Structures are given as C-alpha cells and as structure tokens.
Amino acid sequence: MSQCEKDLEAELEVLRETFKSGKTREESWRRTQLKNLLRFLEEKEDDIFKALKQDLGKHQVEAYRDEIGTLIKSVNYALDGLKQWMCGKKAKLPIAAFPSSAELVPEPLGLVLIISSWNFPFGLSLEPLIGAIAAGNVVILKPSEQAPTSSSVLAKTISKYLDNKAIKVIEGDNSVGDKLLQQKWDKIFFTGSTKVAKIVMAAAAKHLTPVTLELGGKCPAVVDSLSGSWDTNIAMKRILSGKFGACAGQACIGIDYILVDKTYANELVKLIKLAIPKTFGENPKESHSIARIINRTHFLRLKNLLDEPMVKSSVVHGGLTDEDNLFIEPTVLLDPPVQAAIMTEEVFGPLLPIITLDKIEDSIEFINARPKTLTIYAFTKDEALKKKIISRTSSGSVVFNDSIIQYAADTLPFGGVGQSGFGRYHGKFSFDTFSHEKAVVRRSFLTDIWFRYPPWNHKSLQLFRTAYRYDYLSVVLITLGLKKA
C-alpha cells in the first residue's frame, strides 16, 4: 500500500470513528453543521464569485442564481424541516396483530462519498452534502478537478466551517477518484457523465454499495405554435435561458434540442434569432451574460460537432467560435442530420438543433425512439398534447411552458430514469437519499394467534386463507366451530 493510500485510509478511519461515536446522529450536530454551511456561503460569496468567473466565466448574477442562492435556499429549507424529517412515521398494522404498533425510523447510512461535476462546482457539490449532513452521515466530497479554482475554494475553506472529523474535501484527478472508489462506502452519490457512471457502478458493486447517479441526456423541448405576442415573448426568453443561460448550455437539465411542426419552424427560427440579441446582447461574448466552455478539450468536442459538413450547412444563426477565449456564441441549427453526432450525443454546449416534424404529435415517437432523458420540456397550450406527453413518454420530469425551474423547487424530487440516472434528491428527498428508513414493530404478549404455529391441519390452512384476506369474521366463526374449515 502506497503512502497516499495509507493517508487516505487513515482519514477514512477518522470519519468511521466519528460516525461510530454517534454524534452525527444528534440533531444539534446536524443543525450546527448546516448553519455553518450557510455561514460559509454568505461569508465566502466573493471567493465563490471569483472562482466561478475563473473556471467558467460565469457572471455574478448567474453564479448567484444557479449556485449560491439555490444553496442558501436549500440549507434554510433543511433547517426548517430537520426536526420533522428526523421523527419516525407511524405505520399501520393489521387488526390481527393487535395490540401492536409500528413506525418507520430514519437512520443515517454512514460513510458517504460525493463525487461532483464541474459545470456547477458549488451547487452540485453542496446540494447533496446538505442532504448527507441533515441525514446524519459522515462525508468525503470529491469536487471535479476540471473546475480547479472552485475545487480549491471548497478544499481550503470548508474545513474552517464544518467538522473536520466528519466532513472532508479531497481534491485530485481521476487517479484520486479511482482510489476513493476502491474503498468501502455506505453510499456513493455521483454527478457526471454516463461513461464515468459505469465505472462508479462497477466499483460500488464490489461492496454492494447503494448508488445515486445524477446524469443527463438529450433533453428535448417540444415547441407548439403559440398564440399571442406576450406568450411568445415569454416562451422565447425561457427557451433561450434554458439552453444558453445556464452555464452556456453545459447543464444536464438544459434544453438539448427543439422539436417543432414544419409549418411553424421558420417562424420559430425568426423569433429565436430576434430574441438572442435582446437577451444576450449584440455581442454575447462582450456582454458577459454567457459562460465560457470549461476547457479546450470540451471546446474542440463542440467545434467538431459543428464542423461536420452536413451539420455546418444547417447553421441558421451564430456559429462563431473563439478557441483562445473558449467561447462559442449561441448557435442555432435547422434540421441537422439526425444521424450526426450533434443529434446522437448530448450537446452540452451553446449549440441548439431544431428538428422539424410533419406534426407536433410526432414528437412523442421521436422522443421514445431515444434513451430516456432527465427532463422533457414542452411549450404548448394543447391539453391533449400535454396528457400524451405525460402518459406516453418516460423521463425524470416534465415541465410545461418553462425550463429548469424544477431544479430550484425543494418540494420536487430531482433525478433521472434509465440512462439519465437513478435516485433523487433536493429538499427532503436529499435527506431520504442518505437515510435508511428502518421498520420498528412493537408487539404485546397479551394476545396470540394459535394457528400460526405447528402442528398443522386442514383447519389451520383454512384459517390462514381467511386471515390473509382480512376476513376476520370468518376466522372467528371457524375458530368457534360455527363455520366449516
């Protein structure tokens, strides 16, 4: 075992001993850690702003809207609900068990590993941490090395606010991640790509460790023709914000592509082209309202998507790329080949393909022919179409006439299905994700059911048949000999 591995094992042992001591189970400890996390977000706001600007070119407003603000909201929500979340819930038992009682008692899972992504380096690190702390766990947080400034802020400052013997931040590249995955955990929470998720699952399988995977996919936006200038203007703002306004499209829940009726396609393109400068300025790079691409590797990946011959010819707006500044302007494409990489891979950038259909109802078949995604967006007033989308498609969530708002709602679970991941969090769902709901049953010696024990006979069988149908009157009558067994 290398010295690095010995040091890691020693740190994990400290966390295990802390959990064994029972202090993380106490409400006072959980509440103190959450309050300290809130203090971190408020006192280190400027450091967070600078880190997000350095790593991703995020404007302060975007940084606060998508990361700092949502986290402050989430911590306060957890503080308000903590006492109730920790309480057991009564459960009903059948009359046959009388006198008895039962409850479901949440207990922390233990040692938790959180591996976060680079696109929202604070939000995707601390949102699950809030749930893990609220549930009473000890935690190792591994931020993404692709957002190095943000990772450094977390590693250097979290230790000044949170219990070092219960919560640690470990930085490093893939090799550090591999070493962490080789350890035995009680829960692994991963946000990132499907490719890495498979590695995480394979490692977790060795110890039968439960895993929550928050992935992504190609989130479609079904756009029906909208009547009225007010509705149209609002829809355009929400579509553009849902595509280009969240980390320059580098968001798992961002709109990946649009599906539209052929008869409305040209009008939609015109509306989007008019709305882009109104939203992001005549020169989006100079307006600083759009983040930049995280690094050169991802920049070149996006450029390659755009440079495919048949794809390039489908560009109807934008297309400008600036490798020196890792910036790609909002780009709209009309009917790129559906076999092209831009339509088979998650775009994860400011490229917006628009696919035309013979009729808008065909969108359901188009969506179902592809892997299940994190979210389906639909801009429509057609109630019949809404019902079809809900009942005939499968996704982590469905949002009508808006984009990304589901992420900020503490009362809604956030998570995917199929290839877009599994497990859910946010609000109390985060608490539940990092808890085990233990069944506790209490029974009296006052009464007993004699036929549950051997020796068996035909009467015992008949009594079971009636008891399992909750036909208690027949049980009494058979027992008294007033009804044939």
Side-chain angles (χ1 to χ4, degrees), residues 73-112:
K73 169 193 63 62
S74 295
V75 175
N76 282 322
Y77 189 83
L79 284 167
D80 289 343
L82 186 61
K83 183 178 250 347
Q84 183 181 355
W85 297 353
M86 290 178 65
C87 291
K89 296 183 294 186
K90 288 185 177 179
K92 289 184 178 181
L93 289 174
I95 295 172
F98 180 85
S100 62
S101 65
E103 60 182 330
L104 300 174
V105 178
E107 63 178 14
L109 293 172
L111 180 59
V112 169

Side-chain angles (χ1 to χ4, degrees), residues 383-423:
E383 294 302 321
L385 179 60
K386 290 179 184 179
K387 288 179 180 178
K388 287 178 182 176
I389 290 172
I390 293 171
S391 63
R392 291 170 55 186
T393 65
S394 179
S395 58
S397 59
V398 177
V399 177
F400 292 110
N401 299 324
D402 209 336
S403 62
I404 303 186
I405 58 166
Q406 76 278 19
Y407 183 86
D410 294 303
T411 53
L412 295 176
F414 182 82
V417 60
Q419 284 189 236
S420 59
F422 50 80

Side-chain angles (χ1 to χ4, degrees), residues 74-315:
S74 295
V75 175
N76 282 322
Y77 189 83
L79 284 167
D80 289 343
L82 186 61
K83 183 178 250 347
Q84 183 181 355
W85 297 353
M86 290 178 65
C87 291
K89 296 183 294 186
K90 288 185 177 179
K92 289 184 178 181
L93 289 174
I95 295 172
F98 180 85
S100 62
S101 65
E103 60 182 330
L104 300 174
V105 178
E107 63 178 14
L109 293 172
L111 180 59
V112 169
L113 173 63
I114 296 173
I115 303 175
S116 61
S117 185
W118 51 262
N119 50 339
F120 298 90
F122 290 94
L124 297 179
S125 293
L126 301 184
E127 190 72 50
L129 181 63
I130 293 166
I133 291 172
N137 298 278
V138 294
V139 184
I140 289 284
L141 168 62
K142 164 65 174 68
S144 173
E145 71 279 7
Q146 295 190 58
T149 314
S150 300
S151 176
S152 178
V153 169
L154 286 167
K156 290 177 179 177
T157 55
I158 283 289
S159 59
K160 298 173 183 176
Y161 290 87
L162 303 181
D163 185 346
N164 284 329
K165 293 185 177 179
I167 301 153
K168 292 182 181 292
V169 178
I170 293 181
E171 291 188 280
D173 57 15
N174 292 340
S175 64
V176 174
D178 290 340
K179 288 183 176 66
L180 287 169
L181 288 172
Q182 290 168 18
Q183 304 296 317
K184 187 179 187 304
W185 305 91
D186 297 301
K187 175 81 178 188
I188 298 175
F189 188 104
F190 171 79
T191 305
S193 69
T194 302
K195 179 183 176 181
V196 181
K198 292 176 181 178
I199 297 171
V200 172
M201 278 203 72
K206 294 176 183 176
H207 300 290
L208 298 180
T209 302
V211 177
T212 292
L213 300 178
E214 294 298 337
L215 309 178
K218 294 182 71 63
C219 300
V222 178
V223 181
D224 200 2
S225 56
L226 295 166
S227 58
S229 59
W230 174 262
D231 293 347
T232 302
N233 288 335
I234 295 295
M236 289 307 107
K237 288 180 181 179
R238 292 174 179 176
I239 289 169
L240 295 187
S241 177
K243 176 59 185 181
F244 306 113
C247 198
Q250 300 168 109
C252 58
I253 54 169
I255 293 172
D256 189 276
Y257 64 95
I258 288 176
L259 296 173
V260 65
D261 189 312
K262 282 181 180 177
T263 58
Y264 187 58
N266 290 333
E267 177 68 17
L268 177 63
V269 170
K270 180 182 175 183
L271 289 168
I272 290 175
K273 289 167 71 172
L274 288 171
I276 286 175
K278 290 179 182 177
T279 307
F280 302 109
E282 292 294 338
N283 187 341
K285 186 171 74 171
E286 298 302 322
S287 74
H288 304 291
S289 291
I290 296 182
R292 63 169 175 77
I293 308 307
I294 182 66
N295 56 37
R296 188 170 180 273
T297 300
H298 284 271
F299 177 90
L300 293 176
R301 180 188 64 82
L302 288 165
K303 191 172 183 299
N304 288 337
L305 291 180
L306 205 54
D307 284 347
E308 285 189 40
M310 294 296 289
V311 172
K312 200 164 191 175
S313 63
S314 70
V315 173

